[in-house]
Amino acid sequence: MSLQVVGCSHHRTSIAIRERLAFRRDQTDGALAQWRRSFQDVEGVLLSTCNRVEIYAARQSGPIPTVEEVGGFLARFHQIDPREIVPHLFVSNDEAAVRHLFSVAASIDSMVLGEPQILAQVKQAYQAAAERDSTGPLLHMAFQAAIRVARRVATETAIHQRRVSVPSVAVADFARQIFERFDDKETLVIGAGAMAEETLRYLRDEGARNVTIVNRNDQRAAERAIEWQGRARPWNELHDALADADLVISTTGAGRPIIALEEFRAIHAKRGQRPLFILDLAVPRDFDPAIGQRPEVYLYSVDDLEAACQNNRVLRDKELPLATRIVDQESSRFMTEMYHRATGPVIQQLRDGWQKPKDEELRRLLNRLPQLDLHAQEEIRQSFDRLVNKLLHPPLESLRDESRKGVPHGLLDALARLFQLRD
Amino acid sequence: MLAHVHIFCFVACYLVALVLELSRLWFRSGLRGIAMLGFVAAGWVAHSAFLYRSAMENGIGAAAGSPLSSYRDWLLLAAWVLVMIYFYLACYHPTTHFGVFLLPLVLCLIAAAQLWADPRPFPREPASRVWGVIHGTSILLATVTMFVGFAAGLMYLEQAQRLKSKHVPLMKLRLPSLEWLQTVNSRTMLASMLLVAIGVASGIVLKLIALGQNIPSVPWNDPVILGTLAMFGWLLLHVIFAAFYRPIRQGRKVAYLTLASFLFLVIALAMVLFVNTKHGGVAADGDCKLRIVNWNHPPTTPSGGRS
């Protein structure tokens, strides 16, 4: 019974190598089919993301493909020289492989600690392999356990709760603390930067519907309005748009603030004390920082958000030891279960071997005592069952204890010889 | 069995729940939420049993008293309703830390009831019983509403302060959004004004009934009446002003206004607890109400009432 992972990741392999080994989604079917042809009886799951390409392999009995063989498989599929890639591949076996899988699924092996996409990618990889009959009992067990462990890490640690990108922090950590809902709010986008687009995507996910775009270039504003499903307003209506807005994302390339404090005072008077959330993502800043001192105005610059992201990264890192402890604990529990499963056939034979004489003796005893009523017969039957279970308990416990260290081959052999168990 | 239910039972439960709520600031635990709700539920059951016993002993079982009409019971009932509101919020918003703000208020109400409130029930007067119930219930609910508004106002100011200082919201002490808190603030102001209005109107009816029957009644210049009217005036002014001037319904202003309303409530409650008043009965002996009350042996008059 073996389990192995061979692959490369962002930890020690450059993107130049990773992108040559990566599998596009439409290549996965072919790759899994080729895997099954190349390595019969070897279960395989292919995990390919922008940060890693990994092949998880498992086999009930017999040798598992070596790193060179897996490297050869990857090289053949991508039609590259195996010598170029094999040195970049890492390999982990059994418990280390399980720990690696659990760490990946729980996102503690990711480039951005705690990023949420990896679990979905692990699930997709497992599902794809299961649909192509490339998995078997061992990898089913391992991947289902990995998904469970990832959920446990997410529940018991705060590793996923902290956002680490500027747009996600802006929306989840600040905008959501101000507004309960976004579908009735007016979002104003000033400029047309990429960061604004990404922030808008997060706001859309939260339910934002009413988007207004203002740009110095009216044509550009109209284009963005179509693209972002909003409406464009001319630049000279900027102050009116600010008076109407609840959330503002500003990303112009202006050399000096486009809204000074004096200008904002007039806008503020029209707003009737409604809270205003301003994300000033421009450098240099679009809004005079003094505007943030006005009541009911919550103004955040890129630096403010970066500081919050950095703070979140530190807090995520603090959660790492707890997440690692969970992964270690679950890995060793998984291995114990896996090794214990290997003892299943011997346990079954042992039970069957004791069951047969028990049944014979019970039948003989009951034949000799025909005067017993049904209740007495049932009592005797239960007593025999208890006796067998008590006699079997010590050897089964010993097997379970030994399974913590690996498949207990010595003990299994001894049991087989002592009780004359046959395959 | 009910005789063994003591105030300590539910105070201890609420205290443990508060400690558990505060412990969220220091460490995470998967079981804490369930334990917290368990303690609050257990406390609430004991609290209910205590009030039931009090109603049986001082009201329904006694000849002259109205059930749960004493100032002590009234404060305990307010705390009981506040606990229900907290339980609802804790169930539906389990990640938000309402308990940090609401449970201390519950404990304050119980402490006020324990330390200063008069445990003697109001006299039973059949002609005005319905109006008495309406009067007591509406003022009770207004008090609870203003307590909720006060907690929401504090949470608003804390949340706004955090957001202004650009601190990432603490995972350990999660608060609702400003918009949610502002809505709660506005609604509690309106609801408390309506409830106090019902309370004042039913109080006037009670007075008129007493005058019609030539029964001694609470004078118009009683400190409790004046305190309540001042609070009502403030709430009414606020609601009228807010209807015509929108900014007063927005942002920090509404939070500050709920805090100010709470101040009026505290003054009215202080009148009830510490000032010599004829409200709810007649203090013929003219003694000051400020005293420590032993609940196991509450002071009683031969008639069971206060007059």
Side-chain angles (χ1 to χ4, degrees), chain A residues 177-198:
Chain A
Q177 303 299 312
I178 297 169
F179 301 111
E180 189 65 13
R181 50 189 287 195
F182 291 85
D183 57 344
D184 59 348
K185 302 293 180 301
E186 280 291 335
T187 304
L188 172 66
V189 181
I190 309 170
M195 193 85 96
E197 188 175 1
E198 208 183 330

PDB file of all heavy atoms in Angstrom, chain A residues 177-198:
ATOM      1  N   GLN A 177     -18.437  46.936   6.540  1.00  0.00           N
ATOM      2  CA  GLN A 177     -18.615  47.402   7.917  1.00  0.00           C
ATOM      3  C   GLN A 177     -19.444  48.685   7.959  1.00  0.00           C
ATOM      4  O   GLN A 177     -19.929  49.077   9.014  1.00  0.00           O
ATOM      5  CB  GLN A 177     -17.258  47.673   8.586  1.00  0.00           C
ATOM      6  CG  GLN A 177     -16.335  46.486   8.606  1.00  0.00           C
ATOM      7  CD  GLN A 177     -16.936  45.317   9.373  1.00  0.00           C
ATOM      8  OE1 GLN A 177     -17.439  45.481  10.478  1.00  0.00           O
ATOM      9  NE2 GLN A 177     -16.912  44.136   8.770  1.00  0.00           N
ATOM     10  N   ILE A 178     -19.555  49.308   6.798  1.00  0.00           N
ATOM     11  CA  ILE A 178     -20.341  50.546   6.744  1.00  0.00           C
ATOM     12  C   ILE A 178     -21.757  50.253   6.246  1.00  0.00           C
ATOM     13  O   ILE A 178     -22.733  50.704   6.826  1.00  0.00           O
ATOM     14  CB  ILE A 178     -19.633  51.576   5.831  1.00  0.00           C
ATOM     15  CG1 ILE A 178     -18.272  51.943   6.442  1.00  0.00           C
ATOM     16  CG2 ILE A 178     -20.500  52.825   5.646  1.00  0.00           C
ATOM     17  CD1 ILE A 178     -17.377  52.727   5.537  1.00  0.00           C
ATOM     18  N   PHE A 179     -21.824  49.484   5.155  1.00  0.00           N
ATOM     19  CA  PHE A 179     -23.137  49.233   4.550  1.00  0.00           C
ATOM     20  C   PHE A 179     -23.593  47.803   4.797  1.00  0.00           C
ATOM     21  O   PHE A 179     -22.797  46.866   4.701  1.00  0.00           O
ATOM     22  CB  PHE A 179     -23.078  49.500   3.046  1.00  0.00           C
ATOM     23  CG  PHE A 179     -22.665  50.905   2.713  1.00  0.00           C
ATOM     24  CD1 PHE A 179     -21.435  51.170   2.115  1.00  0.00           C
ATOM     25  CD2 PHE A 179     -23.492  51.975   3.023  1.00  0.00           C
ATOM     26  CE1 PHE A 179     -21.043  52.461   1.829  1.00  0.00           C
ATOM     27  CE2 PHE A 179     -23.101  53.277   2.738  1.00  0.00           C
ATOM     28  CZ  PHE A 179     -21.882  53.519   2.147  1.00  0.00           C
ATOM     29  N   GLU A 180     -24.884  47.674   5.049  1.00  0.00           N
ATOM     30  CA  GLU A 180     -25.470  46.356   5.274  1.00  0.00           C
ATOM     31  C   GLU A 180     -25.773  45.684   3.947  1.00  0.00           C
ATOM     32  O   GLU A 180     -25.664  44.480   3.800  1.00  0.00           O
ATOM     33  CB  GLU A 180     -26.754  46.513   6.106  1.00  0.00           C
ATOM     34  CG  GLU A 180     -27.361  45.221   6.592  1.00  0.00           C
ATOM     35  CD  GLU A 180     -26.478  44.477   7.587  1.00  0.00           C
ATOM     36  OE1 GLU A 180     -25.510  45.045   8.107  1.00  0.00           O
ATOM     37  OE2 GLU A 180     -26.770  43.290   7.819  1.00  0.00           O
ATOM     38  N   ARG A 181     -26.205  46.491   2.989  1.00  0.00           N
ATOM     39  CA  ARG A 181     -26.528  45.955   1.666  1.00  0.00           C
ATOM     40  C   ARG A 181     -26.024  46.926   0.603  1.00  0.00           C
ATOM     41  O   ARG A 181     -25.828  48.117   0.881  1.00  0.00           O
ATOM     42  CB  ARG A 181     -28.027  45.720   1.544  1.00  0.00           C
ATOM     43  CG  ARG A 181     -28.863  46.907   1.956  1.00  0.00           C
ATOM     44  CD  ARG A 181     -30.311  46.573   2.037  1.00  0.00           C
ATOM     45  NE  ARG A 181     -30.858  46.412   0.693  1.00  0.00           N
ATOM     46  CZ  ARG A 181     -32.172  46.396   0.438  1.00  0.00           C
ATOM     47  NH1 ARG A 181     -33.036  46.488   1.414  1.00  0.00           N
ATOM     48  NH2 ARG A 181     -32.616  46.262  -0.796  1.00  0.00           N
ATOM     49  N   PHE A 182     -25.845  46.399  -0.596  1.00  0.00           N
ATOM     50  CA  PHE A 182     -25.242  47.228  -1.643  1.00  0.00           C
ATOM     51  C   PHE A 182     -26.180  47.431  -2.830  1.00  0.00           C
ATOM     52  O   PHE A 182     -25.912  48.256  -3.682  1.00  0.00           O
ATOM     53  CB  PHE A 182     -23.931  46.589  -2.125  1.00  0.00           C
ATOM     54  CG  PHE A 182     -22.845  46.631  -1.092  1.00  0.00           C
ATOM     55  CD1 PHE A 182     -22.749  45.649  -0.115  1.00  0.00           C
ATOM     56  CD2 PHE A 182     -21.936  47.674  -1.059  1.00  0.00           C
ATOM     57  CE1 PHE A 182     -21.771  45.704   0.857  1.00  0.00           C
ATOM     58  CE2 PHE A 182     -20.961  47.746  -0.087  1.00  0.00           C
ATOM     59  CZ  PHE A 182     -20.869  46.752   0.881  1.00  0.00           C
ATOM     60  N   ASP A 183     -27.257  46.646  -2.873  1.00  0.00           N
ATOM     61  CA  ASP A 183     -28.121  46.741  -4.049  1.00  0.00           C
ATOM     62  C   ASP A 183     -28.871  48.067  -4.138  1.00  0.00           C
ATOM     63  O   ASP A 183     -29.355  48.425  -5.205  1.00  0.00           O
ATOM     64  CB  ASP A 183     -29.102  45.553  -4.095  1.00  0.00           C
ATOM     65  CG  ASP A 183     -29.951  45.471  -2.843  1.00  0.00           C
ATOM     66  OD1 ASP A 183     -29.587  46.109  -1.849  1.00  0.00           O
ATOM     67  OD2 ASP A 183     -30.980  44.770  -2.869  1.00  0.00           O
ATOM     68  N   ASP A 184     -28.976  48.793  -3.027  1.00  0.00           N
ATOM     69  CA  ASP A 184     -29.663  50.082  -3.075  1.00  0.00           C
ATOM     70  C   ASP A 184     -28.683  51.244  -2.956  1.00  0.00           C
ATOM     71  O   ASP A 184     -29.073  52.367  -2.679  1.00  0.00           O
ATOM     72  CB  ASP A 184     -30.721  50.153  -1.968  1.00  0.00           C
ATOM     73  CG  ASP A 184     -30.107  49.984  -0.580  1.00  0.00           C
ATOM     74  OD1 ASP A 184     -28.923  49.593  -0.502  1.00  0.00           O
ATOM     75  OD2 ASP A 184     -30.793  50.248   0.415  1.00  0.00           O
ATOM     76  N   LYS A 185     -27.405  50.948  -3.154  1.00  0.00           N
ATOM     77  CA  LYS A 185     -26.384  52.001  -3.015  1.00  0.00           C
ATOM     78  C   LYS A 185     -25.900  52.456  -4.392  1.00  0.00           C
ATOM     79  O   LYS A 185     -25.894  51.674  -5.343  1.00  0.00           O
ATOM     80  CB  LYS A 185     -25.189  51.483  -2.208  1.00  0.00           C
ATOM     81  CG  LYS A 185     -25.545  50.972  -0.814  1.00  0.00           C
ATOM     82  CD  LYS A 185     -26.013  52.064   0.091  1.00  0.00           C
ATOM     83  CE  LYS A 185     -26.384  51.589   1.475  1.00  0.00           C
ATOM     84  NZ  LYS A 185     -27.425  50.583   1.542  1.00  0.00           N
ATOM     85  N   GLU A 186     -25.478  53.707  -4.436  1.00  0.00           N
ATOM     86  CA  GLU A 186     -24.928  54.272  -5.666  1.00  0.00           C
ATOM     87  C   GLU A 186     -23.403  54.162  -5.614  1.00  0.00           C
ATOM     88  O   GLU A 186     -22.784  54.664  -4.675  1.00  0.00           O
ATOM     89  CB  GLU A 186     -25.308  55.756  -5.786  1.00  0.00           C
ATOM     90  CG  GLU A 186     -26.698  56.015  -6.288  1.00  0.00           C
ATOM     91  CD  GLU A 186     -26.894  55.653  -7.751  1.00  0.00           C
ATOM     92  OE1 GLU A 186     -25.902  55.640  -8.522  1.00  0.00           O
ATOM     93  OE2 GLU A 186     -28.053  55.341  -8.123  1.00  0.00           O
ATOM     94  N   THR A 187     -22.842  53.469  -6.589  1.00  0.00           N
ATOM     95  CA  THR A 187     -21.381  53.359  -6.663  1.00  0.00           C
ATOM     96  C   THR A 187     -20.873  54.267  -7.779  1.00  0.00           C
ATOM     97  O   THR A 187     -21.387  54.207  -8.900  1.00  0.00           O
ATOM     98  CB  THR A 187     -20.967  51.904  -6.963  1.00  0.00           C
ATOM     99  OG1 THR A 187     -21.536  51.059  -5.974  1.00  0.00           O
ATOM    100  CG2 THR A 187     -19.461  51.742  -6.955  1.00  0.00           C
ATOM    101  N   LEU A 188     -19.913  55.092  -7.432  1.00  0.00           N
ATOM    102  CA  LEU A 188     -19.343  56.000  -8.428  1.00  0.00           C
ATOM    103  C   LEU A 188     -17.888  55.605  -8.683  1.00  0.00           C
ATOM    104  O   LEU A 188     -17.105  55.503  -7.743  1.00  0.00           O
ATOM    105  CB  LEU A 188     -19.413  57.447  -7.902  1.00  0.00           C
ATOM    106  CG  LEU A 188     -18.687  58.510  -8.728  1.00  0.00           C
ATOM    107  CD1 LEU A 188     -19.340  58.684 -10.095  1.00  0.00           C
ATOM    108  CD2 LEU A 188     -18.672  59.851  -7.983  1.00  0.00           C
ATOM    109  N   VAL A 189     -17.572  55.376  -9.965  1.00  0.00           N
ATOM    110  CA  VAL A 189     -16.187  55.059 -10.331  1.00  0.00           C
ATOM    111  C   VAL A 189     -15.629  56.267 -11.071  1.00  0.00           C
ATOM    112  O   VAL A 189     -16.192  56.679 -12.088  1.00  0.00           O
ATOM    113  CB  VAL A 189     -16.112  53.796 -11.223  1.00  0.00           C
ATOM    114  CG1 VAL A 189     -14.667  53.483 -11.568  1.00  0.00           C
ATOM    115  CG2 VAL A 189     -16.757  52.612 -10.526  1.00  0.00           C
ATOM    116  N   ILE A 190     -14.542  56.824 -10.522  1.00  0.00           N
ATOM    117  CA  ILE A 190     -13.899  57.966 -11.189  1.00  0.00           C
ATOM    118  C   ILE A 190     -12.597  57.465 -11.795  1.00  0.00           C
ATOM    119  O   ILE A 190     -11.757  56.921 -11.072  1.00  0.00           O
ATOM    120  CB  ILE A 190     -13.603  59.111 -10.188  1.00  0.00           C
ATOM    121  CG1 ILE A 190     -14.864  59.453  -9.381  1.00  0.00           C
ATOM    122  CG2 ILE A 190     -13.096  60.345 -10.903  1.00  0.00           C
ATOM    123  CD1 ILE A 190     -14.606  60.399  -8.200  1.00  0.00           C
ATOM    124  N   GLY A 191     -12.446  57.606 -13.103  1.00  0.00           N
ATOM    125  CA  GLY A 191     -11.290  57.047 -13.783  1.00  0.00           C
ATOM    126  C   GLY A 191     -11.631  55.638 -14.264  1.00  0.00           C
ATOM    127  O   GLY A 191     -12.793  55.224 -14.212  1.00  0.00           O
ATOM    128  N   ALA A 192     -10.596  54.909 -14.681  1.00  0.00           N
ATOM    129  CA  ALA A 192     -10.900  53.592 -15.251  1.00  0.00           C
ATOM    130  C   ALA A 192      -9.748  52.616 -15.031  1.00  0.00           C
ATOM    131  O   ALA A 192      -9.411  51.818 -15.887  1.00  0.00           O
ATOM    132  CB  ALA A 192     -11.173  53.733 -16.741  1.00  0.00           C
ATOM    133  N   GLY A 193      -9.147  52.669 -13.876  1.00  0.00           N
ATOM    134  CA  GLY A 193      -7.998  51.798 -13.611  1.00  0.00           C
ATOM    135  C   GLY A 193      -8.378  50.341 -13.407  1.00  0.00           C
ATOM    136  O   GLY A 193      -9.552  50.029 -13.153  1.00  0.00           O
ATOM    137  N   ALA A 194      -7.361  49.470 -13.535  1.00  0.00           N
ATOM    138  CA  ALA A 194      -7.597  48.019 -13.363  1.00  0.00           C
ATOM    139  C   ALA A 194      -8.048  47.703 -11.942  1.00  0.00           C
ATOM    140  O   ALA A 194      -8.890  46.840 -11.709  1.00  0.00           O
ATOM    141  CB  ALA A 194      -6.316  47.271 -13.691  1.00  0.00           C
ATOM    142  N   MET A 195      -7.488  48.460 -10.975  1.00  0.00           N
ATOM    143  CA  MET A 195      -7.846  48.226  -9.567  1.00  0.00           C
ATOM    144  C   MET A 195      -9.324  48.551  -9.338  1.00  0.00           C
ATOM    145  O   MET A 195     -10.013  47.870  -8.580  1.00  0.00           O
ATOM    146  CB  MET A 195      -6.972  49.111  -8.684  1.00  0.00           C
ATOM    147  CG  MET A 195      -7.002  48.755  -7.236  1.00  0.00           C
ATOM    148  SD  MET A 195      -5.855  47.470  -6.836  1.00  0.00           S
ATOM    149  CE  MET A 195      -4.473  48.449  -6.253  1.00  0.00           C
ATOM    150  N   ALA A 196      -9.794  49.581 -10.032  1.00  0.00           N
ATOM    151  CA  ALA A 196     -11.220  49.950  -9.909  1.00  0.00           C
ATOM    152  C   ALA A 196     -12.085  48.813 -10.430  1.00  0.00           C
ATOM    153  O   ALA A 196     -13.107  48.464  -9.828  1.00  0.00           O
ATOM    154  CB  ALA A 196     -11.492  51.221 -10.681  1.00  0.00           C
ATOM    155  N   GLU A 197     -11.660  48.238 -11.531  1.00  0.00           N
ATOM    156  CA  GLU A 197     -12.426  47.142 -12.135  1.00  0.00           C
ATOM    157  C   GLU A 197     -12.504  45.951 -11.176  1.00  0.00           C
ATOM    158  O   GLU A 197     -13.564  45.355 -10.991  1.00  0.00           O
ATOM    159  CB  GLU A 197     -11.767  46.713 -13.450  1.00  0.00           C
ATOM    160  CG  GLU A 197     -12.607  45.731 -14.217  1.00  0.00           C
ATOM    161  CD  GLU A 197     -12.003  45.406 -15.577  1.00  0.00           C
ATOM    162  OE1 GLU A 197     -10.918  45.935 -15.892  1.00  0.00           O
ATOM    163  OE2 GLU A 197     -12.622  44.618 -16.298  1.00  0.00           O
ATOM    164  N   GLU A 198     -11.359  45.642 -10.554  1.00  0.00           N
ATOM    165  CA  GLU A 198     -11.345  44.498  -9.641  1.00  0.00           C
ATOM    166  C   GLU A 198     -12.197  44.775  -8.398  1.00  0.00           C
ATOM    167  O   GLU A 198     -12.942  43.910  -7.933  1.00  0.00           O
ATOM    168  CB  GLU A 198      -9.907  44.202  -9.221  1.00  0.00           C
ATOM    169  CG  GLU A 198      -9.715  42.731  -8.881  1.00  0.00           C
ATOM    170  CD  GLU A 198      -8.308  42.452  -8.406  1.00  0.00           C
ATOM    171  OE1 GLU A 198      -7.375  43.152  -8.835  1.00  0.00           O
ATOM    172  OE2 GLU A 198      -8.158  41.510  -7.595  1.00  0.00           O
TER     173      GLU A 198
END
